[in-house]
Amino acid sequence: MTAALAAAHQGLKVVVIDGAATYGGSTARSGGGLWLPGPEAATYLQHVAGAEVSASRRDAFLKYGPDVLAFVREHTPLEFARVPGYPDYHPEAPGGLAEGRTVEPRPLPVHEVAADLGTLAAPYRAAPNGMAVTAVDYRWLSLGLRHPRSMLTAVRLAAGRLRGRRLTMGQALAAGLRAGLRAANVPVLLGTPMSSLIVERGRVTGVVAGPSGPRSREAGDRVEESSRPGQEASGSRQRGEAGTTGERRLRARRGVVLASGGFEHNEAMRRRHQGLGAEWTVGAAGNTGDGIEAGRRLGAALDLMDEAWWGPTLPLTGGPYFCLAERNLPGSLIVDGSGRRFVNEAAPYVDVVHVMLGRTGSGTHLPAWLITDRTYRDRYLFAGHPPRAPLPRRWFDAGVAHRAGSLDGLAQRIGVPAGALRETVERFTGFAASGRDEDFGRGDSAYDRYYGDPRQRPNPCLGALRKPPFFAFSLVPGDLGTKGGLRTDERARVLQTDGTPIPGLYAAGNAAASVMGRGYAGAGATLGPAMTFGYLAALDLAAG
């Protein structure tokens, strides 16, 4: 949507097609945060992204990120606010900031986006009773009964409903961008999947698209070759040429931008590139890698296909739950099948799963279990369930959760050595008393402490586990979406394996390999670059 909006304001004729029946994709399901710093973040981004990402791409992102924010504010109803105190994910690294750089959408009144509200994709987890919960609010709500600000936040949010319904987080971002497209008269064709790219004399000149419905998983593999010259412009339903199977050929005089998301829901691609299945992702169901595969068939190079926006995830009976604050809060720890800790539980979620999967050289640490006690459950929100409230019985019946009156009993239930688990908890409880995690440094980073408990002393992330019953929750390597895709340059042009661009083809978002490399700079480091490279693609199209 950012690419389309920018192209339209550059005077181009544009059309957006989406295979889903709703718009917004994973953005609508997300927290909506944007990591869009300026060039002052160059040292930090170089540290996070590493050598796999070119300096030209990093520099382009940092140069144009602030312009993107200004552009969106000017041409949509969106306004943004800084998320106060939300650190960069590696604030102690060179150039990192403990105060952070993330912004999020301000609550957006529904009446400003009412025309397209019915086709907005659903949020990942809706706030209770229509409350307009922001990322700032979530931090305090997670503290449950432990902190006065948590209760004050809940009261304020409940009272805010009297002001009328408002959208927040990714719902606000997606709806606000869609409102900008409507104001710019850009058509958005939903339920219109791309089945192939059109190529004429070595240049991408459009797409073949058709009504949604049962189709082959290989649909995105085909390349349409045509000898017909491209029309002067494409961008509307009227410009499409009807095919014999109900499909349309949408011509593009300037080019095509693939912003079709990752491949998190493509089982075959995930098994091939990552060795994992698709069952634990919380990404949008329509993200099946069609754009990536279409580009690959044209000879595009792929990067980072073994990567994702990983995070420790609870495989709950109602669907996967991405663990954010739950593992930072005191009174919890994570063990593997040996009954021992293996990671700083409060570290950035991508880093934790890298350790779980053995990508740091320590071997794999699966299965994994989040261990807590009664004190933890009495104090804090857990996977959306209030403190002291009983957890769903179906979790226990399915083996996702276990409860026992002793650590030895809990160890037996989850199949880990009882002595090892007991020793691990005793050692961790000692760290809680001293305030120093001598094994993994939990709580040393400002990021760790952000989702900690400010009332917990001396370390907001460390608390004793003493009060039965004790609980164990299964943790798996889930994700927000995949991170690898088409190799692109600083202008978002898709590159072939020899480094030359494929004329007329661009990619942004999770259809392109991330400018973050294998790292994660901060909250919004997915959406911020996605919008920036979509914007840069539009500028390059207009210049062509």
Side-chain angles (χ1 to χ4, degrees):
M1 289 192 283
T2 304
L5 189 64
H9 283 281
Q10 289 289 321
L12 301 184
K13 294 181 179 180
V14 189
V15 63
V16 175
I17 68 169
D18 195 323
T22 55
Y23 70 90
S26 289
T27 299
R29 297 169 60 80
S30 75
L34 303 177
W35 198 80
L36 287 171
E40 80 282 352
T43 299
Y44 177 64
L45 183 56
Q46 181 179 7
H47 174 86
V48 170
E52 291 184 79
V53 178
S54 69
S56 60
R57 287 189 72 214
R58 298 195 312 266
D59 292 346
F61 166 59
L62 295 175
K63 177 181 179 180
Y64 287 96
D67 294 349
V68 171
L69 198 63
F71 172 81
V72 170
R73 290 182 62 204
E74 181 179 358
H75 296 292
T76 75
L78 289 163
E79 289 293 341
F80 298 88
R82 188 175 183 180
V83 183
Y86 201 167
D88 287 337
Y89 284 0
H90 303 277
E92 291 75 32
L97 293 182
E99 61 267 31
R101 299 174 166 101
T102 299
V103 299
E104 68 172 328
R106 292 185 182 276
L108 184 63
V110 162
H111 69 81
E112 297 189 26
V113 294
D116 297 291
L117 196 61
T119 50
L120 174 62
Y124 164 46
R125 287 185 176 266
N129 302 317
M131 291 181 178
V133 178
T134 66
V136 176
D137 297 328
Y138 172 76
R139 176 194 183 186
W140 295 108
L141 291 175
S142 67
L143 294 174
L145 300 176
R146 179 65 170 165
H147 200 282
R149 189 161 175 178
S150 174
M151 291 171 274
L152 290 173
T153 298
V155 170
R156 175 178 57 79
L157 291 173
R161 287 178 294 172
L162 300 176
R163 298 171 54 188
R165 186 184 171 198
R166 296 177 296 162
L167 301 177
T168 58
M169 299 196 275
Q171 291 277 286
L173 183 60
L177 288 169
R178 178 67 183 89
L181 293 180
R182 179 170 289 280
N185 296 314
V186 175
V188 177
L189 309 182
L190 300 175
T192 308
M194 178 189 75
S195 58
S196 59
L197 293 166
I198 300 172
V199 179
E200 296 172 319
R201 291 186 286 275
R203 180 180 183 85
V204 175
T205 58
V207 301
V208 177
S212 61
R215 60 193 177 108
S216 168
R217 176 56 53 215
E218 300 299 312
D221 289 344
R222 301 201 313 272
V223 179
E224 291 285 329
E225 291 285 355
S226 173
S227 60
R228 299 182 57 180
Q231 297 183 5
E232 176 152 332
S234 72
S236 72
R237 191 181 299 265
Q238 289 72 26
R239 289 283 186 179
E241 303 171 12
T244 59
T245 61
E247 292 183 324
R248 294 199 298 279
R249 299 168 69 84
L250 298 174
R251 297 288 190 163
R253 182 168 60 91
R254 298 294 181 97
V256 172
V257 182
L258 297 172
S260 49
F263 60 95
E264 55 265 29
H265 282 282
N266 186 315
E267 183 77 14
M269 288 181 71
R270 295 208 70 157
R271 293 287 179 188
R272 181 165 68 250
H273 294 289
Q274 300 179 342
L276 294 172
E279 66 269 31
W280 298 324
T281 184
V282 299
N287 293 344
T288 55
D290 296 350
I292 297 172
E293 286 291 277
R296 182 182 66 81
R297 292 290 185 179
L298 292 188
L302 304 181
D303 285 330
L304 300 172
M305 294 294 283
D306 60 335
E307 281 289 356
W309 303 98
W310 305 110
T313 297
L314 298 167
L316 301 181
T317 52
Y321 178 89
F322 195 88
C323 253
L324 193 57
E326 288 85 357
R327 58 196 170 79
N328 296 57
L329 291 165
S332 67
L333 58 86
I334 298 174
V335 301
D336 62 12
S338 72
R340 308 282 185 185
R341 293 176 69 213
F342 58 90
V343 71
N344 169 12
E345 296 89 347
Y349 32 89
V350 165
D351 295 352
V352 175
V353 172
H354 279 163
V355 178
M356 291 174 72
L357 294 176
R359 299 191 176 182
T360 58
S362 62
T364 58
H365 296 278
L366 295 170
W369 301 92
L370 178 68
I371 309 297
T372 70
D373 71 347
R374 169 53 64 187
T375 299
Y376 177 98
R377 281 296 302 124
D378 285 347
R379 289 178 173 178
Y380 307 119
L381 197 71
F382 186 81
H385 292 268
R388 300 181 182 174
L391 297 174
R393 183 174 180 83
R394 61 183 180 275
W395 293 5
F396 297 92
D397 292 342
V400 174
H402 297 270
R403 175 176 46 214
S406 67
L407 288 171
D408 285 3
L410 190 69
Q412 183 177 11
R413 289 183 180 275
I414 63 175
V416 304
L421 180 62
R422 190 169 58 251
E423 291 170 9
T424 296
V425 171
E426 289 172 357
R427 181 171 175 80
F428 186 81
T429 296
F431 295 159
S434 68
R436 172 68 180 165
D437 176 6
E438 297 177 11
D439 291 337
F440 299 102
R442 176 170 166 180
D444 292 353
S445 171
Y447 174 78
D448 299 1
R449 298 190 293 272
Y450 180 76
Y451 283 119
D453 180 350
R455 298 187 67 186
Q456 180 73 23
R457 307 288 181 176
N459 187 323
C461 298
L462 299 179
L465 284 77
R466 291 197 183 100
K467 186 176 181 181
F470 298 95
F471 299 84
F473 303 94
S474 175
L475 281 181
V476 296
D479 63 75
L480 301 168
T482 52
K483 189 179 201 184
L486 302 168
R487 184 183 299 169
T488 57
D489 66 7
E490 68 277 5
R491 293 152 63 181
R493 299 179 301 178
V494 174
L495 302 178
Q496 300 177 87
T497 54
D498 64 2
T500 59
I502 297 175
L505 189 62
Y506 299 76
N510 286 350
S514 173
V515 74
M516 294 291 146
R518 298 186 184 279
Y520 206 151
T526 306
L527 292 177
M531 294 171 68
T532 301
F533 284 105
Y535 177 84
L536 287 171
L539 296 188
D540 200 67
L541 283 163

